[in-house]
Amino acid sequence: MKSNCILLRYGELALKGKNKADFEDRLVNNIRAKLEKFTGVSVTKMRGRIFVEFNDQAIEPMIQELSEVFGLVGFSPAVRLDSEIELIQKAALELAESQGPEVRTFKVNSKRADKRFPIGSQEMNRRIGGYILAHSPQLKVDVHNPDLIVHVEVRGKYSYVYGNDIPGPGGLPVGSSGRVMLLLSGGIDSPVAGYLALKRGVELQAVHFHSYPFTSERAKQKVIDLAQILTRFGGRIRLHVVPFTEIQTEINKHCYESYSITVMRRIMLRISQELARKHKALALVTGESLGQVASQTLESMNAINEVVQIPVLRPVIGMDKQEIMAIAKRIGTYETSILPYEDCCTVFLPKAPKTKPDREVAARQEAKLDTARLIREAVEGTEIIDLSPDRNEEEFSYF
């Protein structure tokens, strides 16, 4: 019997108390947006479950799309049928026999959500398991470590039969935790930080600092491509491309070389905070990993962080490079991140950056610049690129 629906499960949303319905509605809307490219698909919510029902079409592309929806902990292709024990037994048998020779053991896990159904859960387990054993003698019952769990859910008029769970990405639905501004470079770490922030339910916007002609248009396109990949998980993403050439030139002209990275990062955070306020984002997100480079020591973070008043979130702070790379490869950003197009941070890297900068010295170095004017002009000259999963970028600028 061919699957005619997909049963979806969510985890920590069930613990949200009075706000649970809002999280569920957000998740349902995100699922609908993900599946809108498929015709004849409906998404419905029913007592702790979400169901995707579809016409006679391939299920694999839909499964791929659902695997990128944060908030889902698992899903299973299922068969929806009338709540009659004979039909349920036949569907369970077909499921067990369709698994192939690698499945040798099974157990039945029945849930009677509708207590009006005359057969209790334990009795259903016995009847369905006995039916499978009688018709497929090659299968054996193993209640502790089965190759296949035959799930049966009785939900009123209809029942659902499905097999082993396909793991989902977990987390919270995108858009349920407020808006953040990701400092997106062309490296490996910041796209992973953006992905992990999305997993906690934020709506993501991104800011990139572009120092043309010191950094090329191909470096800019690389960042656009990285943001485009993140739209698979976050939906529509707005990318802010900040002109940074004059700022970096002024830093190199007036500031100690060893403090240039510290001053540069301070101004980046100042600009990002202004953009966050302008676009109603509540926090900044960076790809900093503690101790990985000179600007990511505690002393550096302390000297850099003091210039902003909104939270700075660092999702990869405790990860080493191998852990970050593993996630980058899994989500599809790694190959783009390693393309040999340098960003503004690497182009102007000093020979001996200060790893333990003094906050007062950093402030005095920054005071040598016309910071207010530089920040204002950078914000006013920021280019905005709107990206979405299934469309090309639409570009326009604020002046």
Side-chain angles (χ1 to χ4, degrees):
M1 187 176 295
K2 188 177 179 181
S3 299
N4 54 22
C5 66
I6 306 172
L7 186 148
L8 315 177
R9 280 174 293 284
Y10 47 87
E12 59 185 294
L13 272 66
L15 306 176
K16 293 300 179 181
K18 294 180 180 180
N19 296 321
K20 177 182 174 182
D22 294 336
F23 282 85
E24 290 176 336
D25 291 342
R26 174 71 67 171
L27 178 57
V28 169
N29 289 336
N30 291 351
I31 294 168
R32 286 174 177 155
K34 260 294 193 180
L35 299 180
E36 65 181 358
K37 68 180 72 173
F38 302 100
T39 58
V41 172
S42 64
V43 181
T44 56
K45 181 178 68 172
M46 183 193 306
R47 289 179 294 180
R49 293 283 188 267
I50 299 172
F51 294 93
V52 174
E53 298 179 15
F54 53 90
N55 297 324
D56 187 18
Q57 56 187 291
I59 195 172
E60 288 79 12
M62 287 183 282
I63 293 292
Q64 177 58 43
E65 295 291 332
L66 292 170
S67 71
E68 298 170 350
V69 177
F70 288 122
L72 294 177
V73 298
F75 39 88
S76 300
V79 175
R80 188 185 75 168
L81 65 165
D82 292 336
S83 293
E84 299 177 11
I85 188 62
E86 293 82 7
L87 295 177
I88 294 172
Q89 287 174 319
K90 291 179 181 178
L93 175 62
E94 287 191 32
L95 172 66
E97 291 183 333
S98 69
Q99 301 300 305
E102 65 274 9
V103 171
R104 299 177 179 274
T105 59
F106 75 98
K107 68 177 284 189
V108 179
N109 184 4
S110 300
K111 294 182 180 179
R112 188 178 56 151
D114 183 358
K115 302 305 181 185
R116 295 172 298 178
F117 190 72
I119 305 172
S121 298
Q122 294 302 319
E123 179 61 23
M124 272 198 291
N125 289 343
R126 287 191 289 271
R127 290 197 190 189
I128 296 168
Y131 187 86
I132 294 172
L133 289 172
H135 291 82
S136 293
Q138 76 275 11
L139 294 173
K140 304 297 180 185
V141 172
D142 184 345
V143 297
H144 299 295
N145 189 30
D147 299 325
L148 171 67
I149 299 178
V150 178
H151 295 274
V152 176
E153 294 192 17
V154 179
R155 292 179 169 269
K157 180 180 178 181
Y158 297 110
S159 293
Y160 300 83
V161 177
Y162 57 96
N164 291 337
D165 192 45
I166 300 172
L172 296 173
V174 169
S176 63
S177 299
R179 181 179 296 163
V180 301
M181 188 73 70
L182 168 70
L183 278 70
L184 182 62
S185 72
I188 297 171
D189 302 344
S190 58
V192 172
Y195 169 84
L196 294 174
L198 286 168
K199 187 173 183 179
R200 298 313 304 160
V202 302
E203 175 192 338
L204 192 70
Q205 294 196 15
V207 56
H208 175 68
F209 296 89
H210 185 51
S211 293
Y212 183 82
F214 301 115
T215 54
S216 68
E217 287 298 312
R218 298 184 76 176
K220 174 184 170 183
Q221 185 60 49
K222 173 183 174 181
V223 172
I224 294 172
D225 292 342
L226 288 170
Q228 183 67 52
I229 293 170
L230 291 178
T231 65
R232 289 171 29 212
F233 309 97
R236 191 178 182 89
I237 291 177
R238 174 164 284 185
L239 173 63
H240 306 261
V241 181
V242 177
F244 208 58
T245 307
E246 183 181 2
I247 293 173
Q248 288 201 289
T249 302
E250 289 293 295
I251 291 172
N252 288 344
K253 186 187 299 183
H254 297 290
C255 300
Y256 294 156
E257 182 184 21
S258 61
Y259 272 80
S260 61
I261 290 293
T262 304
V263 174
M264 182 187 72
R265 293 289 294 178
R266 283 166 66 100
I267 295 179
M268 282 181 170
L269 287 194
R270 289 184 189 275
I271 293 172
S272 300
Q273 178 174 251
E274 289 303 309
L275 291 171
R277 287 171 172 167
K278 188 173 183 178
H279 297 279
K280 297 180 171 58
L282 300 176
L284 305 180
V285 176
T286 77
E288 293 166 298
S289 173
L290 186 60
Q292 190 175 112
V293 295
S295 65
Q296 296 176 17
T297 64
L298 281 178
E299 292 84 358
S300 288
M301 290 182 188
N302 200 26
I304 294 166
N305 222 74
E306 69 174 2
V307 302
V308 294
Q309 290 75 51
I310 62 175
V312 180
L313 311 179
R314 297 176 171 91
V316 301
I317 191 72
M319 296 184 186
D320 62 32
K321 199 66 176 183
Q322 293 302 315
E323 292 172 305
I324 298 171
M325 287 169 57
I327 297 175
K329 291 174 181 178
R330 177 163 54 84
I331 66 177
T333 57
Y334 179 77
E335 294 299 327
T336 301
S337 291
I338 63 174
L339 292 174
Y341 309 127
E342 295 180 306
D343 60 31
C344 62
C345 295
T346 54
V347 168
F348 288 91
L349 189 67
K351 294 179 181 178
K354 199 76 172 177
T355 59
K356 296 182 179 181
D358 182 274
R359 295 165 61 186
E360 293 183 359
V361 175
R364 287 199 299 270
Q365 292 300 302
E366 187 180 348
K368 295 178 180 180
L369 310 176
D370 188 357
T371 308
R373 176 187 66 82
L374 292 170
I375 291 173
R376 182 182 67 254
E377 292 179 355
V379 171
E380 290 173 352
T382 294
E383 176 189 13
I384 293 179
I385 303 172
D386 283 325
L387 301 162
S388 58
D390 300 312
R391 289 181 290 189
N392 294 325
E393 63 266 19
E394 305 163 6
E395 300 192 22
F396 56 98
S397 299
Y398 282 153
F399 297 101

